[in-house]
Structures are given as C-alpha cells and as structure tokens.
Amino acid sequence: MNDIAHNLAQVRDKISAAATQCGRAPAEVTLLAVSKTKPASAVAEAIDAGQRAFGENYVQEGVDKILHFREAGVDDLQWHFIGPLQSNKSRLVAEHFDWCHTIDRLRIASRLSEQRPADLPPLNVLIQVNISDEQSKSGIALGELDALAAQVVELPGICLRGLMAIPAPETEYARQFAVARQMAVAFEALKTRYPTVDTLSLGMTDDMTAAIAAGSTMVRIGTAIFGARDYTKN
Ligand SMILES: *Cc1c(COP(=O)(O)O)cnc(C)c1O
C-alpha cells in the first residue's frame, strides 16, 4: 500500500470508530479528501484507493484537476469548492464543481444560480456559518441564517444541502463538542424546514471526533491523507 492509501485507510477507521462510539452508522459520515496544493498524481493515488469526493480551496487549481480527470475518463468524482469565493471567480465554480461549501451572501448565491449551466444538475450549496464569531473568518452569524436560507432555496440552478463551518482551533474535546453542537442544532432546525437539507460539513483532522459526535455528516481532511502542504510553490 502506498502512503496515501494507507493514510486514507487510517482516516476511514478513525471516522468509523468515532461514529460507532456515539451510536451512529459510519456511512452517515462522508469523507471529503482536501487535495488543495497537491498534484493530480496524489489525487490519482487517492482515487485508486477508492476515494471519490475531493475538496479544493483555490478555483483555478481545482478546475485544472477537474479537467485533468475528466479528460482521463474518470467521471465518477465529486468536486467540492471549500475556499472563500470572490464574485469574479464564481462562474468557474458554477461551471465545473459539484458543490460549493462557502455561501455567505445572497450575491454569490445569485451569481452561482445564474451561471450554473442548464445541462448540469443543480450545484449543491452549503451556507457557511462563522460559528466562532472570528473577525478574520468568512461566514454569516447564526442569527442571519434563516433569512439567507429562505432566499437561497428560491434560486434555480443551485440546491441548498446544508451548513458548513470552520470553528476556531480548540484543543479541548468538550469545547470542540460544544461549538459543534451549536452547528448541529442549527442544521437540525434547517432540515425540518427544507427537505433538500442533509449535509453538515464540519470537522477537520484535529476536531473530527467531536464533530462526528455532535452530528457532522461530512468531515474535510487534508493533511492526514496527503501529508503537510508546501505553500512556497504557490
Ligand atoms: C485546508 C482545509 C481543510 C483540511 O485541513 P487539514 O488540516 O489539512 O486537514 C478543511 N477544510 C477547509 C475549509 C480547508 O481550507
């Protein structure tokens, strides 16, 4: 087994253990492999090891990989855009990605809606919540969620699937869990109002266990699968 296949197996085991421990079925939690800054060859190793859902933060880098694998005839991958999205890049996301996790204003949702090609299924979108209320982070406050969700669900070409958050780093399990529960409560409430809502994108390498215990349905893991990132190349 190569490193990436080995790492993936370990991450899957950790997800299964975390789910089982709190009485959830491991299949309720999707693993999103965050491949930002990593070459297509690394993604190919993960694909060979059975991984299908990938997360990218940078629009052009993501599009390059999407086209690379499409041209190679691999057509059962799922590509998730998980980075901050500027308006002038929205068209590329609408035209190439399957999901966008970082909806934080109506304007970006409207652009994605207008720009989604009619021959593609609706773009799956998540509203990003700034759950730790950090000034530096994108995302809306929980108090703004109902109003934005009500507008987003009216837009054609996009489908509201749920919520996403990047909580502030926290080493203590109890505090990770408390923040994750706030997200899960908001998610459960949204789900009762909109039948398409089924996804809570929450949990990274260091807080995955708490996120799963709180109710996350999608964890986003990069380093534990692909190794440390080298940003000097970008
Ligand atoms: C980079 C990134 C991840 C993965 O982070 P790791 O620490 O490498 O696991 C997850 N979510 C988002 C939004 C990211 O930008």
Side-chain angles (χ1 to χ4, degrees), residues 37-118:
T37 81
K38 298 296 175 179
S41 58
V43 175
E45 284 184 36
I47 293 170
D48 287 345
Q51 182 64 28
R52 289 294 176 271
F54 293 92
E56 290 283 338
N57 287 58
Y58 309 103
V59 177
Q60 192 57 54
E61 181 193 337
V63 170
D64 289 347
K65 285 178 209 169
I66 292 168
L67 295 178
H68 170 90
F69 287 103
R70 201 164 288 156
E71 278 157 25
V74 189
D75 56 11
D76 61 344
L77 304 181
Q78 235 186 47
W79 292 94
H80 296 239
F81 185 73
I82 62 173
L85 184 53
Q86 294 163 317
S87 293
N88 62 355
K89 299 272 177 67
S90 63
R91 181 174 296 280
L92 283 169
V93 171
E95 291 180 347
H96 296 285
F97 281 83
D98 304 296
W99 289 69
C100 178
H101 289 215
T102 49
I103 302 296
D104 61 359
R105 55 201 190 278
L106 181 61
R107 176 171 157 75
I108 209 80
S110 303
R111 286 179 67 94
L112 292 169
S113 166
E114 284 161 21
Q115 294 167 341
R116 183 68 167 175

Side-chain angles (χ1 to χ4, degrees), residues 34 36 57 82 164 166 204-205 220-223 229:
V34 178
K36 64 184 178 206
N57 287 58
I82 62 173
M164 178 270 210
I166 310 172
M204 298 170 44
T205 303
R220 308 178 306 263
I221 310 292
T223 311
R229 285 180 290 272

